[in-house]
Amino acid sequence: MKRHEFHPIYNTFGIAAKARLFVEYDSEAELQALLKDVAGLPLLHVGGGSNLLFTKDFDGVVLHSGIRGIEVLEENDETALLRAGAGEVWDDFVAHCVAQGWSGVENLSLIPGEVGASAVQNIGAYGVEAKDVIERVEAVSLADGTLRTFVNSDCRYAYRQSIFKQELRGQYAITHVVYRLSRQFVPQLDYGNIRAQLEGVEQVTAQAVRDAIIRIRQSKLPDPQVQGNAGSFFMNPVVPREQFEQLQKDYPQIPHYDAANGVKIPAGWLIEQCGWKGKSLGRAAVHDRQALVLVNNGDATGSDVLALSNAVCADVKERFNIDIRPEVNIF
Ligand code: FAD
Ligand code: NAP
């Protein structure tokens, strides 16, 4: 176990924030013992810090999982059941699966962060979501250290949502995630420009899809090592069909996608229409290639980013009467 007092909390936004105590544990038993030690103190569990915005230091204990390893629980001609430690780097897990011939997560290549957070965030990209492959989630209650297993339906997964982001927010440490992947590769290419990227590729394998997605992402998204960011800052709003049809009269070019409960409108388009693409407010800015991403211009504070987020949301509300909400977890 690693313990550090007044330790910086790593986050891809590059915002300076410290934890009163930062602890990385390596097993469920270590975590259970630690929870007894720190009873009464505020707790915050982090992963790789790629979806966090700190507006102040955390006056409590920041927990990080050092639980690693990928175990094959079952494998047959059709599927493989894999149990991964929450502290595994997500993209290392994807790379490992692709190399072993287990498919289903290749469209989620290069998403920053760790395995534990994949189950909290229900990460998604290019038409695939973590919920499509998660069989169950193993967790420890931060209140009393008890172990609990959540099967997929317990997790209440929805677009970028889960029970761990809603009703049980901050109440469990995820220690392992069990995924069911396929041994028969079924490519999922009907999203964005994956097909165009694969043009000329003779055999479309999971590795070829992974490579194509990595290329697309590297060309579109800012690299947090170069420019602090947390990916898409906002979720795409889903509006009632009547409201969409009304909007379409005024904006015939409005991009849209059918969703279960209405029509999804890319938040990046709404923000761009409000003139925010590439614009700064103080030390934070809206990215110049993808308006859904807010970036740190160098030495921004969390409050700078929050002020920008509030200004963007207010303009979108005023112009379109649509509420856009942050996907990023704000502390
Ligand atoms: P953190 O940001 O550290 O934490 C996220 C949340 O999970 C917090 O609420 C935290 O409390 C909780 N948490 C983390 N680990 C645990 C655990 N073990 N137990 C309990 N709670 C935990 N997201 C997408 O969905 N799709 C994308 O395509 C995508 N692209 C991105 C691109 C860039 C450049 C960046 C910077 C981010 C992107 N993201 C994307 C957002 C981010 O990568 C994901 O949300 C990711 O799952 C966060 O993982 P993390 O380990 O960094 O978690
Ligand atoms: P894009 O392809 O420019 O598309 C813009 C938006 O339109 C996306 O947000 C996407 O919604 C939606 N969209 C596009 N094609 C769609 C389809 N066929 N069906 C339904 N919705 C569609 O997006 P991008 O910014 O380059 O990102 C590509 C993928 O990576 C997206 O899935 C995006 O969510 C994901 N991504 C996520 C983050 C994050 O931090 N959460 C960061 C970067 C990229 P969805 O977002 O609902 O898919």
Side-chain angles (χ1 to χ4, degrees), residues 165-209:
K165 275 191 97 171
Q166 301 275 337
E167 298 92 315
L168 299 183
R169 187 179 186 86
Q171 295 185 37
Y172 281 88
I174 291 175
T175 55
H176 292 88
V177 184
V178 176
Y179 304 91
R180 188 174 293 279
L181 298 194
S182 176
R183 293 201 55 215
Q184 318 289 335
F185 173 53
V186 182
Q188 308 206 45
L189 309 177
D190 296 327
Y191 205 96
N193 52 349
I194 309 181
R195 273 185 205 283
Q197 266 296 328
L198 285 166
E199 221 164 276
V201 172
E202 268 181 25
Q203 207 192 348
V204 176
T205 59
Q207 185 65 55
V209 172

mmCIF file of all heavy atoms in Angstrom, residues 165-209:
data_model
loop_
_atom_site.group_PDB
_atom_site.id
_atom_site.type_symbol
_atom_site.label_atom_id
_atom_site.label_comp_id
_atom_site.label_asym_id
_atom_site.label_seq_id
_atom_site.Cartn_x
_atom_site.Cartn_y
_atom_site.Cartn_z
ATOM 1 N N LYS A 165 -22.772 6.393 -10.665
ATOM 2 C CA LYS A 165 -22.712 7.853 -10.870
ATOM 3 C C LYS A 165 -23.960 8.509 -10.300
ATOM 4 O O LYS A 165 -24.021 9.725 -10.221
ATOM 5 C CB LYS A 165 -22.656 8.181 -12.378
ATOM 6 C CG LYS A 165 -21.273 8.139 -12.966
ATOM 7 C CD LYS A 165 -21.252 8.723 -14.381
ATOM 8 C CE LYS A 165 -20.826 10.169 -14.403
ATOM 9 N NZ LYS A 165 -20.595 10.651 -15.795
ATOM 10 N N GLN A 166 -24.976 7.688 -9.969
ATOM 11 C CA GLN A 166 -26.257 8.248 -9.523
ATOM 12 C C GLN A 166 -26.528 7.854 -8.067
ATOM 13 O O GLN A 166 -25.864 8.366 -7.181
ATOM 14 C CB GLN A 166 -27.370 7.729 -10.444
ATOM 15 C CG GLN A 166 -27.158 8.101 -11.907
ATOM 16 C CD GLN A 166 -27.692 9.478 -12.249
ATOM 17 O OE1 GLN A 166 -28.546 9.994 -11.580
ATOM 18 N NE2 GLN A 166 -27.186 10.087 -13.305
ATOM 19 N N GLU A 167 -27.456 6.914 -7.865
ATOM 20 C CA GLU A 167 -27.900 6.584 -6.496
ATOM 21 C C GLU A 167 -26.756 6.184 -5.570
ATOM 22 O O GLU A 167 -26.783 6.498 -4.376
ATOM 23 C CB GLU A 167 -28.907 5.403 -6.505
ATOM 24 C CG GLU A 167 -30.194 5.659 -7.248
ATOM 25 C CD GLU A 167 -30.111 5.209 -8.702
ATOM 26 O OE1 GLU A 167 -29.103 5.491 -9.374
ATOM 27 O OE2 GLU A 167 -31.076 4.586 -9.162
ATOM 28 N N LEU A 168 -25.765 5.462 -6.093
ATOM 29 C CA LEU A 168 -24.680 4.975 -5.217
ATOM 30 C C LEU A 168 -23.391 5.774 -5.397
ATOM 31 O O LEU A 168 -22.296 5.291 -5.085
ATOM 32 C CB LEU A 168 -24.413 3.479 -5.486
ATOM 33 C CG LEU A 168 -25.592 2.552 -5.214
ATOM 34 C CD1 LEU A 168 -25.197 1.091 -5.452
ATOM 35 C CD2 LEU A 168 -26.107 2.716 -3.782
ATOM 36 N N ARG A 169 -23.533 6.999 -5.871
ATOM 37 C CA ARG A 169 -22.354 7.838 -6.127
ATOM 38 C C ARG A 169 -21.463 7.923 -4.878
ATOM 39 O O ARG A 169 -21.935 8.219 -3.782
ATOM 40 C CB ARG A 169 -22.832 9.238 -6.511
ATOM 41 C CG ARG A 169 -21.737 10.135 -6.964
ATOM 42 C CD ARG A 169 -22.297 11.493 -7.355
ATOM 43 N NE ARG A 169 -21.255 12.299 -7.916
ATOM 44 C CZ ARG A 169 -20.890 12.294 -9.192
ATOM 45 N NH1 ARG A 169 -21.548 11.567 -10.056
ATOM 46 N NH2 ARG A 169 -19.898 13.040 -9.613
ATOM 47 N N GLY A 170 -20.198 7.613 -5.056
ATOM 48 C CA GLY A 170 -19.236 7.765 -3.954
ATOM 49 C C GLY A 170 -19.368 6.727 -2.856
ATOM 50 O O GLY A 170 -18.723 6.832 -1.819
ATOM 51 N N GLN A 171 -20.193 5.699 -3.078
ATOM 52 C CA GLN A 171 -20.421 4.749 -1.971
ATOM 53 C C GLN A 171 -19.655 3.436 -2.097
ATOM 54 O O GLN A 171 -19.565 2.685 -1.135
ATOM 55 C CB GLN A 171 -21.912 4.447 -1.860
ATOM 56 C CG GLN A 171 -22.698 5.690 -1.458
ATOM 57 C CD GLN A 171 -24.153 5.378 -1.229
ATOM 58 O OE1 GLN A 171 -24.502 4.321 -0.708
ATOM 59 N NE2 GLN A 171 -25.019 6.288 -1.622
ATOM 60 N N TYR A 172 -19.135 3.142 -3.282
ATOM 61 C CA TYR A 172 -18.436 1.861 -3.484
ATOM 62 C C TYR A 172 -17.094 2.067 -4.167
ATOM 63 O O TYR A 172 -16.964 2.946 -5.038
ATOM 64 C CB TYR A 172 -19.285 0.914 -4.355
ATOM 65 C CG TYR A 172 -20.378 0.255 -3.564
ATOM 66 C CD1 TYR A 172 -21.617 0.868 -3.419
ATOM 67 C CD2 TYR A 172 -20.159 -0.960 -2.922
ATOM 68 C CE1 TYR A 172 -22.616 0.289 -2.655
ATOM 69 C CE2 TYR A 172 -21.154 -1.555 -2.161
ATOM 70 C CZ TYR A 172 -22.371 -0.926 -2.027
ATOM 71 O OH TYR A 172 -23.348 -1.507 -1.265
ATOM 72 N N ALA A 173 -16.132 1.221 -3.791
ATOM 73 C CA ALA A 173 -14.888 1.128 -4.552
ATOM 74 C C ALA A 173 -15.041 -0.078 -5.463
ATOM 75 O O ALA A 173 -15.315 -1.192 -4.976
ATOM 76 C CB ALA A 173 -13.710 0.907 -3.617
ATOM 77 N N ILE A 174 -14.881 0.126 -6.737
ATOM 78 C CA ILE A 174 -14.936 -1.014 -7.662
ATOM 79 C C ILE A 174 -13.560 -1.671 -7.655
ATOM 80 O O ILE A 174 -12.533 -0.987 -7.797
ATOM 81 C CB ILE A 174 -15.356 -0.534 -9.060
ATOM 82 C CG1 ILE A 174 -16.821 -0.111 -8.970
ATOM 83 C CG2 ILE A 174 -15.161 -1.623 -10.116
ATOM 84 C CD1 ILE A 174 -17.397 0.492 -10.191
ATOM 85 N N THR A 175 -13.555 -2.979 -7.453
ATOM 86 C CA THR A 175 -12.260 -3.670 -7.339
ATOM 87 C C THR A 175 -11.947 -4.514 -8.574
ATOM 88 O O THR A 175 -10.784 -4.655 -8.951
ATOM 89 C CB THR A 175 -12.252 -4.578 -6.088
ATOM 90 O OG1 THR A 175 -13.381 -5.461 -6.171
ATOM 91 C CG2 THR A 175 -12.332 -3.741 -4.813
ATOM 92 N N HIS A 176 -12.981 -5.100 -9.179
ATOM 93 C CA HIS A 176 -12.798 -5.891 -10.403
ATOM 94 C C HIS A 176 -14.008 -5.689 -11.310
ATOM 95 O O HIS A 176 -15.110 -5.456 -10.818
ATOM 96 C CB HIS A 176 -12.703 -7.400 -10.103
ATOM 97 C CG HIS A 176 -11.465 -7.793 -9.369
ATOM 98 N ND1 HIS A 176 -11.393 -7.790 -7.996
ATOM 99 C CD2 HIS A 176 -10.247 -8.190 -9.830
ATOM 100 C CE1 HIS A 176 -10.175 -8.166 -7.635
ATOM 101 N NE2 HIS A 176 -9.461 -8.423 -8.719
ATOM 102 N N VAL A 177 -13.769 -5.833 -12.605
ATOM 103 C CA VAL A 177 -14.895 -5.828 -13.553
ATOM 104 C C VAL A 177 -14.781 -7.114 -14.383
ATOM 105 O O VAL A 177 -13.679 -7.485 -14.829
ATOM 106 C CB VAL A 177 -14.872 -4.583 -14.470
ATOM 107 C CG1 VAL A 177 -16.103 -4.567 -15.373
ATOM 108 C CG2 VAL A 177 -14.811 -3.297 -13.638
ATOM 109 N N VAL A 178 -15.924 -7.791 -14.540
ATOM 110 C CA VAL A 178 -15.952 -9.033 -15.332
ATOM 111 C C VAL A 178 -16.638 -8.720 -16.665
ATOM 112 O O VAL A 178 -17.766 -8.218 -16.691
ATOM 113 C CB VAL A 178 -16.687 -10.157 -14.565
ATOM 114 C CG1 VAL A 178 -16.794 -11.418 -15.420
ATOM 115 C CG2 VAL A 178 -15.967 -10.459 -13.243
ATOM 116 N N TYR A 179 -15.923 -8.977 -17.755
ATOM 117 C CA TYR A 179 -16.426 -8.674 -19.105
ATOM 118 C C TYR A 179 -16.617 -9.970 -19.869
ATOM 119 O O TYR A 179 -15.793 -10.891 -19.767
ATOM 120 C CB TYR A 179 -15.407 -7.843 -19.899
ATOM 121 C CG TYR A 179 -14.972 -6.556 -19.244
ATOM 122 C CD1 TYR A 179 -13.856 -6.527 -18.403
ATOM 123 C CD2 TYR A 179 -15.650 -5.361 -19.476
ATOM 124 C CE1 TYR A 179 -13.436 -5.346 -17.807
ATOM 125 C CE2 TYR A 179 -15.238 -4.174 -18.889
ATOM 126 C CZ TYR A 179 -14.137 -4.174 -18.058
ATOM 127 O OH TYR A 179 -13.723 -3.003 -17.473
ATOM 128 N N ARG A 180 -17.690 -10.013 -20.698
ATOM 129 C CA ARG A 180 -17.828 -11.147 -21.620
ATOM 130 C C ARG A 180 -17.545 -10.649 -23.029
ATOM 131 O O ARG A 180 -18.262 -9.827 -23.570
ATOM 132 C CB ARG A 180 -19.229 -11.779 -21.542
ATOM 133 C CG ARG A 180 -19.269 -13.083 -22.362
ATOM 134 C CD ARG A 180 -20.571 -13.831 -22.214
ATOM 135 N NE ARG A 180 -20.831 -14.380 -20.902
ATOM 136 C CZ ARG A 180 -20.316 -15.521 -20.434
ATOM 137 N NH1 ARG A 180 -19.491 -16.243 -21.172
ATOM 138 N NH2 ARG A 180 -20.636 -15.946 -19.226
ATOM 139 N N LEU A 181 -16.462 -11.165 -23.593
ATOM 140 C CA LEU A 181 -16.083 -10.765 -24.954
ATOM 141 C C LEU A 181 -16.319 -11.924 -25.904
ATOM 142 O O LEU A 181 -16.509 -13.070 -25.492
ATOM 143 C CB LEU A 181 -14.623 -10.322 -24.979
ATOM 144 C CG LEU A 181 -14.287 -9.100 -24.113
ATOM 145 C CD1 LEU A 181 -12.922 -8.553 -24.466
ATOM 146 C CD2 LEU A 181 -15.313 -7.990 -24.262
ATOM 147 N N SER A 182 -16.298 -11.572 -27.198
ATOM 148 C CA SER A 182 -16.638 -12.579 -28.190
ATOM 149 C C SER A 182 -15.379 -13.168 -28.817
ATOM 150 O O SER A 182 -14.378 -12.459 -28.994
ATOM 151 C CB SER A 182 -17.498 -11.900 -29.259
ATOM 152 O OG SER A 182 -17.772 -12.823 -30.263
ATOM 153 N N ARG A 183 -15.454 -14.460 -29.166
ATOM 154 C CA ARG A 183 -14.322 -15.039 -29.898
ATOM 155 C C ARG A 183 -14.609 -15.035 -31.400
ATOM 156 O O ARG A 183 -13.765 -15.441 -32.198
ATOM 157 C CB ARG A 183 -14.024 -16.442 -29.375
ATOM 158 C CG ARG A 183 -13.514 -16.363 -27.934
ATOM 159 C CD ARG A 183 -12.752 -17.574 -27.512
ATOM 160 N NE ARG A 183 -11.659 -17.868 -28.420
ATOM 161 C CZ ARG A 183 -11.256 -19.096 -28.720
ATOM 162 N NH1 ARG A 183 -11.855 -20.143 -28.181
ATOM 163 N NH2 ARG A 183 -10.260 -19.289 -29.552
ATOM 164 N N GLN A 184 -15.843 -14.615 -31.751
ATOM 165 C CA GLN A 184 -16.182 -14.450 -33.174
ATOM 166 C C GLN A 184 -16.225 -12.949 -33.424
ATOM 167 O O GLN A 184 -17.074 -12.267 -32.854
ATOM 168 C CB GLN A 184 -17.577 -15.018 -33.481
ATOM 169 C CG GLN A 184 -17.908 -16.336 -32.815
ATOM 170 C CD GLN A 184 -17.110 -17.470 -33.416
ATOM 171 O OE1 GLN A 184 -16.677 -17.388 -34.565
ATOM 172 N NE2 GLN A 184 -16.891 -18.527 -32.640
ATOM 173 N N PHE A 185 -15.347 -12.449 -34.253
ATOM 174 C CA PHE A 185 -15.263 -11.001 -34.461
ATOM 175 C C PHE A 185 -16.407 -10.508 -35.342
ATOM 176 O O PHE A 185 -16.565 -10.960 -36.476
ATOM 177 C CB PHE A 185 -13.907 -10.653 -35.096
ATOM 178 C CG PHE A 185 -13.782 -9.218 -35.493
ATOM 179 C CD1 PHE A 185 -14.029 -8.196 -34.588
ATOM 180 C CD2 PHE A 185 -13.405 -8.869 -36.792
ATOM 181 C CE1 PHE A 185 -13.914 -6.860 -34.952
ATOM 182 C CE2 PHE A 185 -13.279 -7.538 -37.166
ATOM 183 C CZ PHE A 185 -13.547 -6.537 -36.247
ATOM 184 N N VAL A 186 -17.221 -9.613 -34.789
ATOM 185 C CA VAL A 186 -18.294 -8.981 -35.576
ATOM 186 C C VAL A 186 -17.969 -7.485 -35.608
ATOM 187 O O VAL A 186 -18.149 -6.789 -34.611
ATOM 188 C CB VAL A 186 -19.680 -9.211 -34.921
ATOM 189 C CG1 VAL A 186 -20.781 -8.581 -35.770
ATOM 190 C CG2 VAL A 186 -19.937 -10.690 -34.709
ATOM 191 N N PRO A 187 -17.455 -6.985 -36.744
ATOM 192 C CA PRO A 187 -17.050 -5.580 -36.763
ATOM 193 C C PRO A 187 -18.227 -4.630 -36.612
ATOM 194 O O PRO A 187 -19.303 -4.890 -37.144
ATOM 195 C CB PRO A 187 -16.389 -5.411 -38.142
ATOM 196 C CG PRO A 187 -16.708 -6.611 -38.932
ATOM 197 C CD PRO A 187 -17.220 -7.677 -38.018
ATOM 198 N N GLN A 188 -18.030 -3.568 -35.871
ATOM 199 C CA GLN A 188 -19.062 -2.527 -35.732
ATOM 200 C C GLN A 188 -18.479 -1.269 -36.352
ATOM 201 O O GLN A 188 -17.688 -0.575 -35.730
ATOM 202 C CB GLN A 188 -19.372 -2.312 -34.260
ATOM 203 C CG GLN A 188 -19.688 -3.637 -33.593
ATOM 204 C CD GLN A 188 -20.572 -3.470 -32.392
ATOM 205 O OE1 GLN A 188 -21.561 -2.744 -32.433
ATOM 206 N NE2 GLN A 188 -20.213 -4.134 -31.322
ATOM 207 N N LEU A 189 -18.900 -1.014 -37.597
ATOM 208 C CA LEU A 189 -18.225 0.029 -38.388
ATOM 209 C C LEU A 189 -19.152 1.170 -38.779
ATOM 210 O O LEU A 189 -18.735 2.103 -39.458
ATOM 211 C CB LEU A 189 -17.648 -0.597 -39.679
ATOM 212 C CG LEU A 189 -16.795 -1.853 -39.507
ATOM 213 C CD1 LEU A 189 -16.370 -2.394 -40.862
ATOM 214 C CD2 LEU A 189 -15.573 -1.565 -38.654
ATOM 215 N N ASP A 190 -20.430 1.077 -38.345
ATOM 216 C CA ASP A 190 -21.410 2.056 -38.843
ATOM 217 C C ASP A 190 -21.424 3.348 -38.049
ATOM 218 O O ASP A 190 -22.475 3.847 -37.691
ATOM 219 C CB ASP A 190 -22.821 1.434 -38.809
ATOM 220 C CG ASP A 190 -22.901 0.264 -39.760
ATOM 221 O OD1 ASP A 190 -22.217 0.317 -40.799
ATOM 222 O OD2 ASP A 190 -23.625 -0.702 -39.448
ATOM 223 N N TYR A 191 -20.310 3.888 -37.754
ATOM 224 C CA TYR A 191 -20.277 5.077 -36.912
ATOM 225 C C TYR A 191 -19.176 5.992 -37.396
ATOM 226 O O TYR A 191 -18.043 5.535 -37.603
ATOM 227 C CB TYR A 191 -19.991 4.644 -35.469
ATOM 228 C CG TYR A 191 -20.492 5.593 -34.441
ATOM 229 C CD1 TYR A 191 -21.723 5.402 -33.826
ATOM 230 C CD2 TYR A 191 -19.727 6.683 -34.063
ATOM 231 C CE1 TYR A 191 -22.186 6.275 -32.868
ATOM 232 C CE2 TYR A 191 -20.184 7.559 -33.104
ATOM 233 C CZ TYR A 191 -21.414 7.348 -32.503
ATOM 234 O OH TYR A 191 -21.855 8.215 -31.556
ATOM 235 N N GLY A 192 -19.538 7.253 -37.578
ATOM 236 C CA GLY A 192 -18.523 8.228 -37.967
ATOM 237 C C GLY A 192 -17.755 7.761 -39.182
ATOM 238 O O GLY A 192 -18.321 7.163 -40.108
ATOM 239 N N ASN A 193 -16.455 8.006 -39.158
ATOM 240 C CA ASN A 193 -15.665 7.702 -40.347
ATOM 241 C C ASN A 193 -14.785 6.461 -40.204
ATOM 242 O O ASN A 193 -13.709 6.381 -40.788
ATOM 243 C CB ASN A 193 -14.819 8.919 -40.753
ATOM 244 C CG ASN A 193 -14.011 9.443 -39.586
ATOM 245 O OD1 ASN A 193 -14.233 9.034 -38.457
ATOM 246 N ND2 ASN A 193 -13.065 10.321 -39.851
ATOM 247 N N ILE A 194 -15.266 5.453 -39.461
ATOM 248 C CA ILE A 194 -14.448 4.231 -39.311
ATOM 249 C C ILE A 194 -14.260 3.557 -40.667
ATOM 250 O O ILE A 194 -13.159 3.167 -41.039
ATOM 251 C CB ILE A 194 -15.083 3.205 -38.351
ATOM 252 C CG1 ILE A 194 -15.477 3.853 -37.020
ATOM 253 C CG2 ILE A 194 -14.150 2.038 -38.109
ATOM 254 C CD1 ILE A 194 -16.084 2.876 -36.034
ATOM 255 N N ARG A 195 -15.374 3.438 -41.422
ATOM 256 C CA ARG A 195 -15.279 2.768 -42.731
ATOM 257 C C ARG A 195 -14.268 3.473 -43.630
ATOM 258 O O ARG A 195 -13.433 2.828 -44.279
ATOM 259 C CB ARG A 195 -16.635 2.748 -43.419
ATOM 260 C CG ARG A 195 -17.467 1.551 -43.023
ATOM 261 C CD ARG A 195 -18.757 1.493 -43.828
ATOM 262 N NE ARG A 195 -19.761 0.758 -43.078
ATOM 263 C CZ ARG A 195 -19.774 -0.568 -42.969
ATOM 264 N NH1 ARG A 195 -18.883 -1.310 -43.586
ATOM 265 N NH2 ARG A 195 -20.712 -1.156 -42.248
ATOM 266 N N ALA A 196 -14.349 4.811 -43.633
ATOM 267 C CA ALA A 196 -13.428 5.569 -44.494
ATOM 268 C C ALA A 196 -11.982 5.303 -44.081
ATOM 269 O O ALA A 196 -11.101 5.124 -44.929
ATOM 270 C CB ALA A 196 -13.740 7.059 -44.398
ATOM 271 N N GLN A 197 -11.738 5.205 -42.786
ATOM 272 C CA GLN A 197 -10.378 4.949 -42.291
ATOM 273 C C GLN A 197 -9.888 3.563 -42.694
ATOM 274 O O GLN A 197 -8.698 3.324 -42.813
ATOM 275 C CB GLN A 197 -10.351 5.015 -40.756
ATOM 276 C CG GLN A 197 -9.977 6.346 -40.183
ATOM 277 C CD GLN A 197 -8.559 6.773 -40.518
ATOM 278 O OE1 GLN A 197 -7.657 5.948 -40.657
ATOM 279 N NE2 GLN A 197 -8.365 8.066 -40.683
ATOM 280 N N LEU A 198 -10.862 2.644 -42.886
ATOM 281 C CA LEU A 198 -10.473 1.262 -43.182
ATOM 282 C C LEU A 198 -10.375 0.993 -44.685
ATOM 283 O O LEU A 198 -10.045 -0.120 -45.095
ATOM 284 C CB LEU A 198 -11.489 0.293 -42.556
ATOM 285 C CG LEU A 198 -11.369 0.128 -41.037
ATOM 286 C CD1 LEU A 198 -12.590 -0.567 -40.464
ATOM 287 C CD2 LEU A 198 -10.098 -0.646 -40.680
ATOM 288 N N GLU A 199 -10.657 2.021 -45.463
ATOM 289 C CA GLU A 199 -10.607 1.843 -46.918
ATOM 290 C C GLU A 199 -9.219 1.342 -47.325
ATOM 291 O O GLU A 199 -8.194 1.842 -46.838
ATOM 292 C CB GLU A 199 -10.893 3.164 -47.616
ATOM 293 C CG GLU A 199 -11.781 2.980 -48.824
ATOM 294 C CD GLU A 199 -12.357 4.300 -49.262
ATOM 295 O OE1 GLU A 199 -13.387 4.704 -48.686
ATOM 296 O OE2 GLU A 199 -11.739 4.903 -50.136
ATOM 297 N N GLY A 200 -9.197 0.326 -48.176
ATOM 298 C CA GLY A 200 -7.913 -0.207 -48.629
ATOM 299 C C GLY A 200 -7.393 -1.326 -47.734
ATOM 300 O O GLY A 200 -6.470 -2.053 -48.110
ATOM 301 N N VAL A 201 -7.993 -1.501 -46.552
ATOM 302 C CA VAL A 201 -7.559 -2.587 -45.659
ATOM 303 C C VAL A 201 -8.198 -3.877 -46.175
ATOM 304 O O VAL A 201 -9.425 -3.960 -46.314
ATOM 305 C CB VAL A 201 -7.999 -2.316 -44.192
ATOM 306 C CG1 VAL A 201 -7.734 -3.514 -43.303
ATOM 307 C CG2 VAL A 201 -7.307 -1.069 -43.674
ATOM 308 N N GLU A 202 -7.377 -4.880 -46.494
ATOM 309 C CA GLU A 202 -7.920 -6.088 -47.119
ATOM 310 C C GLU A 202 -8.748 -6.913 -46.156
ATOM 311 O O GLU A 202 -9.846 -7.345 -46.458
ATOM 312 C CB GLU A 202 -6.775 -6.933 -47.663
ATOM 313 C CG GLU A 202 -6.511 -6.562 -49.106
ATOM 314 C CD GLU A 202 -5.409 -7.383 -49.719
ATOM 315 O OE1 GLU A 202 -5.158 -8.510 -49.240
ATOM 316 O OE2 GLU A 202 -4.809 -6.869 -50.684
ATOM 317 N N GLN A 203 -8.201 -7.146 -44.963
ATOM 318 C CA GLN A 203 -8.941 -7.957 -43.993
ATOM 319 C C GLN A 203 -9.250 -7.127 -42.761
ATOM 320 O O GLN A 203 -8.319 -6.670 -42.073
ATOM 321 C CB GLN A 203 -8.102 -9.174 -43.612
ATOM 322 C CG GLN A 203 -8.961 -10.330 -43.191
ATOM 323 C CD GLN A 203 -8.127 -11.421 -42.542
ATOM 324 O OE1 GLN A 203 -6.899 -11.404 -42.597
ATOM 325 N NE2 GLN A 203 -8.792 -12.372 -41.922
ATOM 326 N N VAL A 204 -10.552 -6.904 -42.544
ATOM 327 C CA VAL A 204 -10.940 -6.083 -41.390
ATOM 328 C C VAL A 204 -10.928 -6.959 -40.140
ATOM 329 O O VAL A 204 -11.828 -7.762 -39.904
ATOM 330 C CB VAL A 204 -12.322 -5.432 -41.614
ATOM 331 C CG1 VAL A 204 -12.748 -4.662 -40.373
ATOM 332 C CG2 VAL A 204 -12.266 -4.501 -42.809
ATOM 333 N N THR A 205 -9.885 -6.829 -39.374
ATOM 334 C CA THR A 205 -9.752 -7.576 -38.121
ATOM 335 C C THR A 205 -10.009 -6.619 -36.962
ATOM 336 O O THR A 205 -10.062 -5.390 -37.150
ATOM 337 C CB THR A 205 -8.325 -8.119 -37.993
ATOM 338 O OG1 THR A 205 -7.443 -6.968 -38.028
ATOM 339 C CG2 THR A 205 -7.974 -9.074 -39.107
ATOM 340 N N ALA A 206 -10.101 -7.169 -35.761
ATOM 341 C CA ALA A 206 -10.276 -6.308 -34.575
ATOM 342 C C ALA A 206 -9.056 -5.387 -34.430
ATOM 343 O O ALA A 206 -9.189 -4.228 -34.049
ATOM 344 C CB ALA A 206 -10.463 -7.163 -33.329
ATOM 345 N N GLN A 207 -7.889 -5.917 -34.784
ATOM 346 C CA GLN A 207 -6.681 -5.086 -34.702
ATOM 347 C C GLN A 207 -6.749 -3.927 -35.702
ATOM 348 O O GLN A 207 -6.371 -2.796 -35.379
ATOM 349 C CB GLN A 207 -5.430 -5.949 -34.980
ATOM 350 C CG GLN A 207 -4.117 -5.209 -34.810
ATOM 351 C CD GLN A 207 -3.854 -4.765 -33.364
ATOM 352 O OE1 GLN A 207 -3.866 -5.583 -32.451
ATOM 353 N NE2 GLN A 207 -3.619 -3.467 -33.154
ATOM 354 N N ALA A 208 -7.291 -4.214 -36.900
ATOM 355 C CA ALA A 208 -7.399 -3.144 -37.909
ATOM 356 C C ALA A 208 -8.378 -2.071 -37.435
ATOM 357 O O ALA A 208 -8.149 -0.876 -37.626
ATOM 358 C CB ALA A 208 -7.852 -3.735 -39.246
ATOM 359 N N VAL A 209 -9.473 -2.496 -36.793
ATOM 360 C CA VAL A 209 -10.449 -1.522 -36.276
ATOM 361 C C VAL A 209 -9.798 -0.707 -35.165
ATOM 362 O O VAL A 209 -9.911 0.523 -35.115
ATOM 363 C CB VAL A 209 -11.729 -2.242 -35.778
ATOM 364 C CG1 VAL A 209 -12.657 -1.268 -35.066
ATOM 365 C CG2 VAL A 209 -12.446 -2.905 -36.949
#
